[in-house]
């Protein structure tokens, strides 16, 4: 399997993992404060990643200072993005803030082209834009939804873009699993500090079971997201971020009984088609005979 295919599968895995995590949080989020949940989820998630790193013999990392700086930058961007996303989510309709965040594939692809000089042909740009149109059909933000709070969501987009580009810059001396562990620990610690500003509530054994499952899923999603940005071309992998919306449609129906209407299904079909088209273009380019030197 070539690097672009690996990267696309890892990105799909990350998006599905984050969506499953969101579904679990939604199930128990009605009676547990958000920061309490994120903090308690972050403890086992970070320990799980560190345990994996220990079992793989890479817990002691001898990476250059530059890699540690990039990993720290990635963690800071992760924390900042979470803060601004939550702030926007509390003040905006979910559809609207989701619509703003779907700029990510285009912003990351353009950032990779500008910073790393990765190829960005017109077909890939067109695939990303068409996929974004499909996303708009799914979320269908209302005309009154975009207020000054939209700037918070745009800041989150910018921070996640920097986060992913920082992941790309890290050398192979920094294992992906350690980058994921650092981000997980940073988000959990920040949530723990934020939770001091709100009252905690008692939790049942089922709540802890749900959080344990969410911890493992989000830990694997962190790991997949870091690995995805370190293999293949970012401009190729970017459209596969839209797979999270497809996962949300499926999980929403199976878990919460939400049945999408025709327009939503059309948007989902467009999103899937753009990903398949990108894969086809990559495959065709690799089969094309190279000119002899």
């Amino acid at each position: 399997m070539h690097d672009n295919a690996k990267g696309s599968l890892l990105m799909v895995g990350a998006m599905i993992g984050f969506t499953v995590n969101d579904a679990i949080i939604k199930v128990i989020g009605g009676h547990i404060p958000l920061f309490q949940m994120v903090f308690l989820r972050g403890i086992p998630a970070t320990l799980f990643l560190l345990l994996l790193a220990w079992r793989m013999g890479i817990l002691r990392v001898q990476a250059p200072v530059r890699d540690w700086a990039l990993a720290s930058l990635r963690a800071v961007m992760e924390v900042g993005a979470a803060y601004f996303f939550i702030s926007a989510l509390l003040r905006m309709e979910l559809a609207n803030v989701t619509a703003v965040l779907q700029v990510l594939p285009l912003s990351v692809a353009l950032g990779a082209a500008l910073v790393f000089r990765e190829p960005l042909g017109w077909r890939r740009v067109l695939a990303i834009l068409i996929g974004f149109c499909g996303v708009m059909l799914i979320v269908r933000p209302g005309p009154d939804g975009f207020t000054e709070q939209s700037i918070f969501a745009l800041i989150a987009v910018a921070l996640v873009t920097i986060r992913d580009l920082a992941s790309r810059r890290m050398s192979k001396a920094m294992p992906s699993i350690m980058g994921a562990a650092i981000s997980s620990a940073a988000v959990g610690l920040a949530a723990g500090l934020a939770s001091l500003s709100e009252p905690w509530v008692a939790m049942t054994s089922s709540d802890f079971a749900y959080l344990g499952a969410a911890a493992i899923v989000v830990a694997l999603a962190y790991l997949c997201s870091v690995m995805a940005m370190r293999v293949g071309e970012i401009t190729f992998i970017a459209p596969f971020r839209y797979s999270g919306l497809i996962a949300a449609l499926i999980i929403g129906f199976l878990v919460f009984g939400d049945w999408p209407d025709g327009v939503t299904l059309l948007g989902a079909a467009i999103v899937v088609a753009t990903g398949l088209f990108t894969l086809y273009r990559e495959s065709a380019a690799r089969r094309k005979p190279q000119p002899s030197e």
Side-chain angles (χ1 to χ4, degrees), residues 31-111:
H31 58 280
I32 302 176
L34 175 62
F35 290 124
Q36 178 182 343
M37 285 192 298
V38 175
F39 172 63
L40 293 177
R41 182 200 65 184
I43 295 174
T46 304
L47 292 177
F48 175 71
L49 289 170
L50 291 176
L51 178 61
L52 284 179
W54 174 71
R55 294 287 295 177
M56 296 170 62
I58 56 176
L59 191 58
R60 295 173 61 92
V61 179
Q62 295 184 351
V65 175
R66 177 175 175 272
D67 282 347
W68 286 107
L70 288 170
S72 300
L73 173 63
R74 188 186 188 283
V76 171
M77 294 300 103
E78 191 88 62
V79 172
Y83 169 77
F84 283 107
F85 173 75
I86 294 173
S87 298
L89 188 61
L90 294 176
R91 296 172 174 84
M92 294 173 60
E93 294 294 328
L94 178 60
N96 292 344
V97 69
T98 302
V100 175
L101 290 181
Q102 297 315 306
V103 179
L104 266 172
L106 184 58
S107 67
V108 172
L110 291 177

Side-chain angles (χ1 to χ4, degrees), residues 241-288:
R241 289 179 181 276
Y242 294 134
S243 60
L245 282 170
I246 307 301
L249 290 175
I250 297 173
I251 294 175
F253 170 70
L254 294 177
V255 178
F256 304 107
D258 298 330
W259 180 255
D261 57 23
V263 176
T264 300
L265 291 176
L266 175 61
I270 292 174
V271 170
V272 172
T274 56
L276 293 177
F277 172 77
T278 306
L279 279 173
Y280 166 76
R281 286 296 310 169
E282 171 70 7
S283 177
R286 287 183 171 274
R287 290 195 305 266
K288 185 177 180 180

Side-chain angles (χ1 to χ4, degrees), residues 136-218:
M136 292 299 99
L137 289 177
I138 295 175
V139 298
R140 278 169 289 172
D144 299 328
F146 288 98
T147 65
E148 67 277 2
Q149 300 301 330
S150 298
I151 193 66
F152 277 37
L154 289 174
I155 293 174
V157 169
L159 294 177
V160 173
T161 301
I162 298 173
R163 179 203 69 183
D164 287 350
L165 295 179
S167 299
R168 183 69 169 186
R169 280 293 193 186
M170 290 190 298
S171 71
K172 295 185 182 297
M174 173 63 72
S176 296
I177 194 169
M178 290 305 298
I182 292 171
S183 293
S184 177
V187 172
L189 178 60
L193 294 175
S195 71
L196 298 177
S197 64
E198 59 185 14
W200 280 44
V201 300
M203 296 173 55
T204 65
S205 58
S206 61
D207 291 334
F208 281 108
Y210 275 122
L211 278 181
I216 295 176
V217 171
V218 79

Side-chain angles (χ1 to χ4, degrees), residues 221-235:
Y222 275 134
L223 180 57
C224 286
S225 67
V226 176
M227 294 174 65
M229 300 310 298
R230 303 182 72 182
V231 297
E233 300 172 16
I234 296 179
T235 53

Side-chain angles (χ1 to χ4, degrees), residues 6-15 224 228-229 237 240-241 243:
K6 291 179 183 177
S8 62
L9 289 177
L10 287 168
M11 181 58 72
V12 170
M15 294 301 100
C224 286
M229 300 310 298
I237 298 168
F240 290 89
R241 289 179 181 276
S243 60

